[in-house]
Structures are given as C-alpha cells and as structure tokens.
Amino acid sequence: MNLSLRLRATVGLFVWAVGLGGLGSTGDQAAAQELPNVIIIYADDLGYGDLSCYNPDAAYQTPRIDQLAQQGVRFTDAHSPSTICSPSRYGLFSGQQIYRSTGRGGGAFEGPGGPSYLKPGTLTIAQMLKTKGYRTGVFGKWHVGLTWYDENNQRLGNGFKNSLLIDYEKSTPLIDGPNARGFDESFVTPNCPNTDPLYVYIENGMVLEPASMRHKRDTLPNPGGKWRWDNDEGWMSPGYDFMNADLLFYDKTEAFITEHRKQTPDQPFFAVLSTQIAHAPVLPAEQFNGATEAGPRGDFVWELDVLVGRVMDLVQRLDIDDNTLILFNSDNGAETVHVDWMRRDHNHDASGGWRGMKRDGWEGGHRVPFIARWPGRIPPGRVSRQMTNTTDIFATLASIVGYTLADEDATDSFDMLPVLLGTQDESQSIRPHLLTQSFRGEFQLRQGDWKYLDHTGSGGNNYDSPNMRPYALPETAPDASGQLYNLKTDPGETTNLFFSEQAKRVEMQQLLERLKTSGRSAPKNRQPIGINNL
C-alpha cells in the first residue's frame, strides 16, 4: 500500500473511532473487565447433516466440533435468517431479517456490488458491544455489500467487468466496510472468497492490492474433478490465495486475539471468524487433501473442524477459556450439487434428513447447526430443541453484557440466554414464532410444530432440472398458493395441509402479515439479564 493510502486509512479510522465515541469512559472500561470474550465461528453452506454430532451416519467425523458441542449446548431447531449467504450475514450483524433493509428479499453480491445492506443508522452487533468496552474484529468473508466508485465518482454495481473501473483512491477507506460498521480490526474479502470476483483482500477499509490480474479457474488444483465447480473467472489482485483462504482467515483471527490479550488483557474482545467452508468450489488446503475417506468435500469440512479446534486450543493456551463464549453457526443449508454428489458418492446426507437444500424454503435450506460453549456458565453436554434463529445472537449477547436494546434495534432478535444457561423449561418456547426467507425473499413462518410457506414450490431451486429431479416430491395440494406442514407428524414436509387445515393456515397467514407490517417480530421493551445476575 502506498503512503497516500496508508495516511488516508489512518485518518479514516481515527474519524470513525471518534464518531463512535472510542471505547467509552473509564467507568465503562472497569465494568467491561467482568464481561466475557465472544468468538463467533460462522460457517458457509454447512448443512445440518454435515457434522458428526448432528449426523451419526456422516461419512466422516468432526471430533473438535463434536467436542465443542459436548462441552456446551447443541441446538437441533436452529435456523439461518435466509437460505443464501448475504441476507443471512445481514441477519447476524443486524439481528434483523433482510426485508428490514430491502423491503423484500436480498441477493448475493458479485463484483463491486453494493451498497451495504447494513445501512447507516442500523445498529450492528459490533457497535453494540463497543459501547460496553469490547474491542471488535472480523476476519474472512464479509459479503453484505460495499460501495465502490469509478474515476467519475459514480457508484459501481454488480458485474465482473466493473471490477476494472474501480478507482481505489476514491473508494477507500470504504465508507460502509466493517470498520464503518463497528469493527476495530478487519481482514475480509468483499464477496465469496473463492467464488465471486472481486478477488481482493481488504484490511481495515483499505484494499491491500488492486485487482489487476485475470483469474482463470484452470490454474487451480482440481481435487476430485467436479469439485472445482462454481469458481468464477474474474479479476483478482496479484498473490490472491484461493487454496489457503481459511488458513489465512484463522491466522488473522489468532493474531487479533493474541495481540489484544498482550496489549489490553483487561478489555473483552469480540471476534468473528467468517469461513468460506463449505461453500463451492471445494478447495481444501493442500495439507488436508485425503484427510478423510469422503472425498474433497469431506476433507474440506475436516479442515473446518481443525480450525475450530485451533480456536479452542488458542483460548486454552491464553488462559481465557473459562471467560470466552464460543458460538458456532452456519449461514444456510448445503449447496445443491454438494448434497447430490455427497449422497451419490459417499452416502452422506448434508441436509441431515430434512427436505431441501441451499436456496429452498424447506427445512434443509435453513435448519443449520448452532452450538454454544462457555465453560462454567453453559452446562455441558446439553441438546436443546428450542426454536432459534441466527438473528437471536444479537439480543442474547446484549442480554449478557447488560445492553438495553431500543425497540428499533435488532427487531427480529430474541434473547436466548436462559436456554444457554439451562434455566429455560425446554417445554416452553422462548420464541412464539420464527421467520425465515428463501432465495427469492419469500417467507416461511414457524409457530410451534406448524410451518407455513408463503409460496409454492421450493422458494429457490428448480426441481425440474436433471440433477434435482430425483429429490422432487409429489405435490399433494397442486392448487394451493402456499404450503402448510406439521413438522411433528410430517418432518419431511411431504403432505401439504393448506386446504385440510384451513383454520390454522388462515391464522398463520394473518400472523405473517402482522409481523411484516409491524416492523418487528421480536418483543418490545426487551430487558437484558446482565452478567452480574447470572
């Protein structure tokens, strides 16, 4: 990076820090010393059945993630906000469904796509934690949109050709990157690290090396032949490393945590390790090739398992294990061809027995792994059937740190702290309902065992295509405009009760309209529990 860019980065970060009020008062710092460190490990396209602690018939083992579950709580009814990545990441960072930002659905960004779904004035989870004295960092896949300008100060949009039109002097420091949304430290890629150009690294709002080289997919190693699918050709920066992306993201996370503990050991930290495993293309680092007998994708998930183990070992080595909450989650279900190929080649069901996969409104598209571990606070070895959404992480962390959420903040976020602590009666659901959105932005609504899909078909994938046709099910209510299932008696979503349970269907349709028009699905006047009351 040249001197001019370095100076602009320093000035930009200083102005941003002042705008947020720095790290708070001395009193805030003193209180912050009692608060736990928080690490979120956010997996990509990892299905419900992709971990051995969720799937006893998995074609490989995930011992370190299983250990994480054994030492904490594993949720079996956890859901991503959306069935694709960018809207789900918005849900993680904002505590809200994507239609709060866009008015309906939200796609995934490519090229210099933006602006950010995280609009100015939307409280982010990092900004919330900063008010309580946390130092915050995010490392890996960002993918919620960024604003890029050309030489005429015109904002650029999606499109691989637009990558060459970026004026980096005018575009950086990024006005809506992680450091403008509450993160003190960041090392990210704008889109899917190995799938969607623009292929560049962004550190603290600055592009380390502009995209000036044309990437060709045939330059990559090709383990297993077909597994290189979905590596788009486009523009990349010199030295961009496709094969070791997640190793790099872990190294940046470790450096952030280690340096923070060295410099300010009495200040809590919040770190997000946003991996690209197990998104297509399947490109495990060289040292993991052949690690399992389940082909390249099995090796890829094994790499993720190793990285989770390294996080666990790191907090143990730094002697902060007992005061660190680790959350493990995925942004949606497994990719279509991955589900197909793993079933055919390795008798492995990445959807874990649920109908559907990535992009679908059926359970396989949004029912995902969710594990929480906090030694001494979360009783170990528990399995919870509580219905929860990734959006709930926001209110749960606010409850821990004693932050009172305003009604306009995190409007789809419920406090799941009593479930984590094991004080909630499992027969009593904290959530009276739960919203998800499929690829096209259409809604799915849960209420207890009942599930209403406000659309026909999958909401995402075309089950008339050759590779999907084997997984198509007969339509039991072909004239219906939506779908109604009872997951207790029909977990496979095979029998549409749209007409036969008309009263329940109308009730859920009316509830969905109220939730959409009220501007929130979470309760008002949420009060945090606070760590001193745990």
Side-chain angles (χ1 to χ4, degrees):
M1 189 189 304
N2 63 38
L3 179 59
S4 173
L5 291 181
R6 289 183 185 276
L7 288 173
R8 292 184 65 200
T10 301
V11 172
L13 290 176
F14 173 76
V15 171
W16 164 82
V18 171
L20 284 182
L23 289 173
S25 66
T26 303
D28 291 336
Q29 286 290 82
Q33 295 174 17
E34 302 177 2
L35 300 176
N37 308 304
V38 179
I39 301 173
I40 297 176
I41 304 171
Y42 202 42
D44 200 346
D45 290 9
L46 190 79
Y48 186 92
D50 273 328
L51 305 176
S52 51
C53 57
Y54 280 89
N55 180 5
D57 297 320
Y60 49 81
Q61 298 296 302
T62 50
R64 297 310 303 271
I65 299 175
D66 292 1
Q67 180 186 10
L68 191 76
Q70 291 162 3
Q71 296 176 352
V73 58
R74 176 172 64 87
F75 287 81
T76 59
D77 200 358
H79 300 265
S80 57
S82 173
T83 62
I84 57 170
C85 49
S86 294
S88 285
R89 286 159 200 279
Y90 170 81
L92 170 65
F93 293 128
S94 71
Q96 301 183 147
Q97 292 293 137
I98 188 61
Y99 78 99
R100 309 293 182 196
S101 176
T102 65
R104 184 152 175 79
F109 293 100
E110 299 173 335
S116 177
Y117 284 146
L118 295 167
K119 296 178 179 179
T122 299
L123 181 71
T124 71
I125 196 169
Q127 289 168 338
M128 180 270 291
L129 290 172
K130 278 178 66 66
T131 68
K132 292 297 181 177
Y134 278 76
R135 185 161 181 81
T136 58
V138 60
F139 310 95
K141 175 178 174 178
W142 182 241
H143 213 194
V144 289
L146 293 169
T147 296
W148 303 91
Y149 297 103
D150 65 14
E151 61 181 6
N152 298 314
N153 284 318
Q154 296 298 306
R155 187 179 66 80
L156 295 165
N158 280 351
F160 302 147
K161 293 181 180 179
N162 282 346
S163 296
L164 288 181
L165 301 179
I166 296 172
D167 187 311
Y168 290 92
E169 289 281 345
K170 290 182 168 62
S171 299
T172 56
L174 290 164
I175 63 171
D176 52 3
N179 295 75
R181 296 295 183 263
F183 288 99
D184 296 302
E185 299 274 346
S186 66
F187 184 94
V188 300
T189 60
N191 306 319
C192 291
N194 286 358
T195 306
D196 303 319
L198 177 75
Y199 295 127
V200 296
Y201 300 125
I202 304 169
E203 188 165 26
N204 294 328
M206 304 301 297
V207 175
L208 298 183
E209 190 75 30
S212 60
M213 294 180 60
R214 179 72 173 172
H215 165 62
K216 296 289 186 179
R217 69 175 62 92
D218 59 9
T219 62
L220 294 177
N222 194 13
K226 59 191 177 186
W227 292 101
R228 196 172 60 189
W229 172 82
D230 206 24
N231 172 236
D232 291 338
E233 297 187 348
W235 294 95
M236 60 178 281
S237 63
Y240 191 87
D241 189 346
F242 290 87
M243 301 303 300
N244 296 296
D246 286 302
L247 296 181
L248 175 60
F249 300 152
Y250 171 77
D251 287 345
K252 293 292 183 178
T253 306
E254 179 180 335
F256 167 77
I257 294 173
T258 303
E259 186 63 22
H260 172 80
R261 290 296 301 168
K262 186 183 301 181
Q263 298 294 332
T264 52
D266 293 330
Q267 180 187 3
F269 67 80
F270 171 60
V272 180
L273 171 56
S274 182
T275 78
Q276 56 128 11
I277 300 172
H279 198 284
V282 175
L283 297 173
E286 184 177 1
Q287 68 197 75
F288 300 104
N289 285 329
T292 72
E293 296 181 356
R297 192 172 184 276
D299 298 343
F300 212 24
V301 178
W302 178 268
E303 179 179 352
L304 175 64
D305 188 72
V306 169
L307 294 180
V308 171
R310 289 181 184 177
V311 171
M312 297 169 68
D313 293 342
L314 174 64
V315 296
Q316 185 78 37
R317 186 168 69 250
L318 295 176
D319 198 26
I320 55 174
D321 195 35
D322 289 345
N323 199 33
T324 300
L325 169 62
I326 299 177
L327 301 170
F328 180 92
N329 194 213
S330 176
D331 65 356
N332 48 248
E335 180 59 81
T336 54
V337 295
H338 288 186
V339 174
D340 183 35
W341 294 340
M342 290 300 287
R343 285 173 177 171
R344 292 175 186 270
D345 297 349
H346 301 287
N347 196 30
H348 173 88
D349 185 5
S351 293
W354 301 104
R355 184 183 184 185
M357 48 202 85
K358 180 180 179 178
R359 301 179 192 85
D360 292 340
W362 298 314
E363 290 295 286
H366 53 80
R367 190 178 288 236
V368 293
F370 181 41
I371 299 168
R373 172 187 179 271
W374 187 6
R377 297 287 190 175
I378 295 177
R382 292 171 45 239
V383 177
S384 175
R385 300 185 306 276
Q386 283 278 334
M387 186 170 59
T388 186
N389 192 303
T390 299
T391 56
D392 297 337
I393 291 175
F394 199 125
T396 303
L397 293 184
S399 185
I400 292 172
V401 303
Y403 184 96
T404 302
L405 289 168
D407 287 343
E408 63 267 22
D409 297 329
T411 54
D412 298 299
S413 190
F414 286 71
D415 180 6
M416 303 301 292
L417 183 56
V419 182
L420 298 189
L421 299 177
T423 59
Q424 178 71 18
D425 184 346
E426 276 291 307
S427 67
Q428 301 297 315
S429 177
I430 285 180
R431 273 184 163 272
H433 41 64
L434 180 144
L435 286 172
T436 56
Q437 291 181 263
S438 60
F439 177 65
R440 296 191 292 263
E442 294 164 318
F443 287 93
Q444 302 82 46
L445 173 64
R446 276 282 301 282
Q447 188 183 48
D449 293 321
W450 289 97
K451 179 178 178 182
Y452 173 69
L453 295 86
D454 197 34
H455 55 86
T456 59
S458 74
N461 295 303
N462 177 14
Y463 279 75
D464 289 330
S465 63
N467 68 310
M468 301 297 290
R469 199 172 296 131
Y471 308 113
L473 297 179
E475 179 53 71
T476 57
D479 297 328
S481 60
Q483 300 166 72
L484 179 68
Y485 301 106
N486 187 314
L487 296 182
K488 183 176 182 179
T489 58
D490 183 23
E493 297 172 276
T494 63
T495 304
N496 188 356
L497 305 175
F498 186 91
F499 294 118
S500 60
E501 295 286 350
Q502 180 178 351
K504 188 64 184 179
R505 181 250 300 171
V506 171
E507 176 191 343
M508 295 192 71
Q509 287 173 326
Q510 293 174 344
L511 172 59
L512 176 59
E513 287 307 309
R514 288 199 302 272
L515 294 177
K516 287 163 59 178
T517 57
S518 68
R520 64 185 308 103
S521 65
K524 292 184 176 181
N525 301 314
R526 290 161 293 184
Q527 297 299 313
I529 295 174
I531 193 168
N532 291 329
N533 295 318
L534 299 187

